[in-house]
Amino acid sequence: MADAPKLGFGPFTAPRSGILVVFCDNGLKFGPATAKTLGSATGLVARAAKAERFTGKNGKSLDLIMPEGLKVDRLTVIGVGKAADLKASDVVKLGGAAMGKVPAGASEATVFAELPAGAMNPEQAADLAQGVLLRAYAFDRYKTKRKEDDKPPAKRGVTIATGDVAAARKAYVAREAIAGGVVMARDLVNEPANILYPEEFARRAQALKKVGVKVEVLDVKAMTKLGMGALLGVGQGSRRDSRTVVMRWDGGKKGDAPLAFIGKGVCFDTGGISIKPASGMEDMKGDMAGAACVVGLMQALAARKAKVNAVGVIGVVENMPDGNAQRPGDIVTSMSGQTIEIINTDAEGRLVLADVLWYTAKRFKPKFMIDLATLTGAIIVALGQEYAGMFANNDELSHRLHLAGEATDEKVWRMPLSPFYDKMIDSKFADMKNTGGSRWGGAITAAQFIQRFVADKTPWAHLDIAGTGMDSRASDINKSWGSGWGVRLLDRLVADHYEK
Ligand code: BES
Ligand code: MN
Ligand code: ZN
């Protein structure tokens, strides 16, 4: 990633250069350290606020260039609205908003981690710092012709001014690890498919060994031996061989059943023989956002030394039309032994997940399985880009995911499963078919299909992230096409319920 600023913590002292960002509430009130620093410039701020009709509403800001009485080049005041209402995820967003006010060319900025009532606590200061990092991300690896005036300076530094520097630094360690996982996931999603094909994806996952994750790669031969006919059928039309990658982080008690995270990793989805229309097909380089999230999550858990046993399993393939590609009407046998009639080769994600879920439940007997997949256009029709669709066979897991979603602002909305929808995928020729036959309830019939491969009644949740994982809605903490959605959500789920 380019543009990552060097982030540090320091005391509340007036910066002598660069950009200063401070917060006020909807009464234009500052905290004591901020007020002291602004000193004689306070009157200037009040005048500017009046002129600009800035009232301190959350998300609004006011800029003063070369403010008299201060040494900085620019002062930015960001409104937080009613300070008492701020949740942790709001503070992360404030960090993002603050970074958003640092011009591309600026080499140093100071952000005062203070609210009108006083200094943010160390956790809040660290949340603010995480927001800065997430916002600073830019995928510009392939930009070779930047103009002089939008080149970032060689060195950029952001200092978070806070009351208890040591405690904030300590709280930041885990948050930095999590942001690192998000960045890793974003990079994978943004990367084009000529660079990031299954073997290369597996290679990048191997980088997790550096943080102590055990990584195993299953090649076509190994998957053939296991009988993964559903996954292999998807990849057989591609010049690039398929892979399954298993990542293990053993930070918990020895012998404790692991939590399992499963990802759809379709490096490119042309639709196969049921080929997609040309318009927008380039977006299908992001059809591995589920797998990217799992890799980012495993990286984050290991980097922050989470006290949990976790396993990440991703099926990585490319869905291409070719003389060897599978056809509509073909019947494949999955690892579970169940047979599948292929109606539409573009409904490939569920075929990949079918074998990877079965494999994971049988091999690891996990406490639960959560899969993430950019699975259906239908979930985007239903929920847009704000919520991911959630399907679950377990109310406790569903509830915990809901809470983690609210806490991190990576929100999930539960959708139904029922025998009525399940019947829609019964096939004339095989045990089931890979589409529901009509477009109605398309996200649900996809989930029903996957549920048939959840072995041994393992508690399970499926997150359809077609609307949230890629081509994402810009926010204060994300300007990237690939959002890294789900890393913060699942890290939070683990931290809140499964670590001791
Ligand atoms: N990868 C797509 C789903 C998708 C669509 C993700 C748009 C992100 C944005 C998936 O493999 C797919 O093609 N699904 C089909 C299923 C259909 C053929 C039953 C769909 O949603 O149209
Ligand atoms: Mn498809
Ligand atoms: Zn797909």
Side-chain angles (χ1 to χ4, degrees):
M1 171 180 72
D3 294 6
K6 200 171 150 24
L7 207 138
F9 294 88
F12 287 118
T13 46
R16 309 186 62 80
S17 58
I19 313 284
L20 172 63
V21 183
V22 299
F23 300 104
C24 73
D25 68 6
N26 54 3
L28 291 184
K29 193 169 174 289
F30 295 105
T34 307
K36 189 166 160 238
T37 301
L38 294 183
S40 62
T42 309
L44 214 58
V45 171
R47 267 181 65 197
K50 201 160 173 219
E52 295 280 291
R53 292 187 156 187
F54 171 78
T55 58
K57 274 202 193 119
N58 189 292
K60 297 275 187 245
S61 64
L62 178 71
D63 296 326
L64 284 85
I65 315 297
M66 310 282 184
E68 175 119 47
L70 293 174
K71 295 226 158 56
V72 294
D73 298 335
R74 191 162 97 170
L75 168 69
T76 292
V77 182
I78 295 181
V80 305
K82 242 167 107 185
D85 293 348
L86 292 179
K87 297 180 295 172
S89 63
D90 295 326
V91 178
V92 178
K93 280 187 210 160
L94 286 178
M99 189 60 202
K101 296 305 288 181
V102 178
S107 56
E108 45 170 330
T110 305
V111 184
F112 267 37
E114 191 185 49
L115 295 169
M120 291 184 182
N121 65 40
E123 281 73 33
Q124 289 175 312
D127 280 335
L128 201 66
Q130 189 190 49
V132 167
L133 272 193
L134 293 172
R135 175 60 175 262
Y137 175 88
F139 185 77
D140 48 12
R141 178 170 300 174
Y142 300 106
K143 295 267 191 197
T144 68
K145 293 195 163 100
R146 280 245 184 119
K147 284 186 221 84
E148 240 0 274
D149 57 2
D150 58 38
K151 265 195 193 142
K155 273 195 206 145
R156 301 186 96 190
V158 176
T159 303
I160 308 288
T162 175
D164 188 342
V165 174
R169 272 195 194 121
K170 200 168 157 220
Y172 179 58
V173 174
R175 284 160 176 87
E176 187 183 24
I178 297 160
V182 176
V183 163
M184 185 167 220
R186 286 179 183 172
D187 272 346
L188 289 166
V189 178
N190 287 325
E191 200 72 88
N194 60 325
I195 305 291
L196 191 71
Y197 45 91
E199 249 180 289
E200 174 61 18
F201 198 120
R203 237 188 316 274
R204 298 216 185 168
Q206 308 234 18
L208 267 60
K209 287 179 183 165
K210 267 184 268 172
V211 285
V213 174
K214 295 184 198 111
V215 186
E216 256 173 84
V217 179
L218 309 184
D219 60 10
V220 171
K221 202 171 145 210
M223 290 187 282
T224 306
K225 210 167 150 206
L226 287 164
M228 292 187 167
L231 182 153
L232 289 167
V234 175
Q236 77 186 31
S238 170
R239 297 288 289 268
R240 305 291 193 182
D241 272 351
S242 306
R243 293 286 184 270
T244 288
V245 184
V246 180
M247 294 156 278
R248 292 168 68 178
W249 166 249
D250 296 319
K253 278 201 218 86
K254 220 181 151 168
D256 253 11
L259 314 178
F261 302 96
I262 288 99
K264 166 181 173 181
V266 176
C267 291
F268 196 78
D269 180 14
T270 63
I273 296 300
S274 316
I275 197 163
K276 288 180 181 294
S279 164
M281 203 205 276
E282 67 278 10
D283 281 357
M284 287 300 121
K285 71 171 185 176
D287 207 18
M288 28 55 70
C293 171
V294 171
V295 173
L297 173 69
M298 295 303 292
Q299 159 80 28
L301 292 176
R304 71 170 180 81
K305 300 195 166 43
K307 291 190 177 56
V308 71
N309 296 334
V311 35
V313 189
I314 56 178
V316 200
V317 304
E318 186 179 56
N319 188 22
M320 298 289 274
D322 169 87
N324 194 45
Q326 72 181 348
R327 292 153 287 255
D330 282 5
I331 294 176
V332 297
T333 303
S334 65
M335 184 181 169
S336 73
Q338 301 177 92
T339 56
I340 304 159
E341 182 192 6
I342 309 298
I343 300 298
N344 188 320
T345 64
D346 197 11
E348 85 296 340
R350 63 198 73 182
L351 297 167
V352 173
L353 291 173
D355 279 338
V356 176
L357 279 167
W358 187 266
Y359 173 77
T360 304
K362 286 294 176 190
R363 174 167 171 197
F364 295 105
K365 308 200 175 352
K367 218 169 267 162
F368 66 63
M369 300 197 282
I370 296 175
D371 78 74
L372 299 101
T374 47
L375 203 65
T376 66
I379 203 66
I380 313 179
V381 175
L383 298 175
Q385 297 182 299
E386 186 66 16
Y387 282 77
M390 169 173 65
F391 300 82
N393 66 1
N394 182 288
D395 291 343
E396 183 186 63
L397 182 57
S398 155
H399 183 60
R400 288 175 172 181
L401 276 165
H402 165 79
L403 293 177
E406 294 296 318
T408 55
D409 207 35
E410 291 187 333
K411 300 188 292 285
V412 296
W413 193 262
R414 192 171 185 182
M415 304 279 289
L417 290 163
S418 102
F420 170 81
Y421 298 109
D422 183 70
K423 258 207 339 254
M424 289 168 75
I425 55 169
D426 286 340
S427 155
K428 233 189 322 223
F429 297 106
D431 296 335
M432 70 195 86
K433 53 187 181 183
N434 79 329
T435 69
S438 91
R439 283 165 54 221
W440 294 359
I444 307 174
T445 47
Q448 293 290 166
F449 182 95
I450 296 171
Q451 190 177 21
R452 292 195 185 194
F453 298 89
V454 175
D456 308 326
K457 301 209 167 75
T458 309
W460 156 79
H462 156 59
L463 305 179
D464 193 334
I465 62 168
T468 55
M470 59 164 157
D471 189 17
S472 42
R473 184 177 55 81
S475 73
D476 280 340
I477 54 170
N478 180 47
K479 296 292 166 196
S480 165
W481 184 84
S483 58
W485 192 98
V487 174
R488 290 168 56 247
L489 168 77
L490 296 176
D491 176 81
R492 183 60 181 249
L493 174 81
V494 172
D496 281 354
H497 300 287
Y498 302 96
E499 286 185 68
K500 264 162 238 112

